[in-house]
Amino acid sequence: MERLEQLAQTDSKPENSYPYPITEREQILIRLYSYWELGMTPQGFSQKWDITPEDIALICSCSTQTVNGWFNTSRRCYPPTSGHLRHLAIMDFLLEDFETIPKEVLERLFSKGE
């Protein structure tokens, strides 16, 4: 992380120069991201937030039946994938820290990709 801070002070991307070059900074970020174990279980999410299975299904891009299976311990079902856990962790972050996220970051997060 210290190295990233050092690089942040010296690196700047050239304006409109696509594709951006992969520098030492980007290589460090790619490696950090690839080992990132961001996740929150559906049980942990629903204990923290008063939310319905339908809402969890919407967050995780899956069916309500799938979500109900995650909570039903009496029948055998597939556990949530790492993608589902990541969606819940990101949503938890947004619900918890929305007001502290800079407007520019929110605009990038919620704009349609180009």
Side-chain angles (χ1 to χ4, degrees):
M1 294 302 279
E2 288 179 33
R3 183 65 182 142
L4 279 174
E5 290 173 10
Q6 292 171 350
L7 291 169
Q9 296 170 5
T10 60
D11 277 359
S12 65
K13 286 185 264 194
E15 287 289 317
N16 299 324
S17 174
Y18 298 108
Y20 292 135
I22 299 296
T23 65
E24 180 184 0
R25 173 185 167 266
E26 284 76 28
Q27 288 292 338
I28 292 169
L29 288 169
I30 289 167
R31 282 177 181 60
L32 284 171
Y33 180 82
S34 68
Y35 293 107
W36 194 18
E37 293 186 24
L38 178 66
M40 185 174 205
T41 65
Q43 292 79 3
F45 191 85
S46 67
Q47 287 172 357
K48 184 171 180 180
W49 301 100
D50 185 18
I51 196 162
T52 67
E54 292 80 12
D55 290 329
I56 292 177
L58 185 62
I59 293 165
C60 293
S61 299
C62 65
S63 70
T64 303
Q65 182 179 5
T66 297
V67 172
N68 287 334
W70 297 337
F71 290 94
N72 187 343
T73 57
S74 66
R75 67 178 245 249
R76 191 171 159 95
C77 66
Y78 292 106
T81 66
S82 60
H84 296 128
L85 302 178
R86 188 175 305 114
H87 280 298
L88 291 171
I90 292 169
M91 190 72 241
D92 175 62
F93 169 75
L94 289 171
L95 292 170
E96 189 81 40
D97 297 303
F98 182 80
E99 290 77 16
T100 65
I101 301 170
K103 181 181 177 184
E104 298 80 24
V105 173
L106 290 172
E107 287 172 353
R108 285 193 66 193
L109 286 173
F110 297 113
S111 70
K112 302 234 186 253
E114 296 175 0

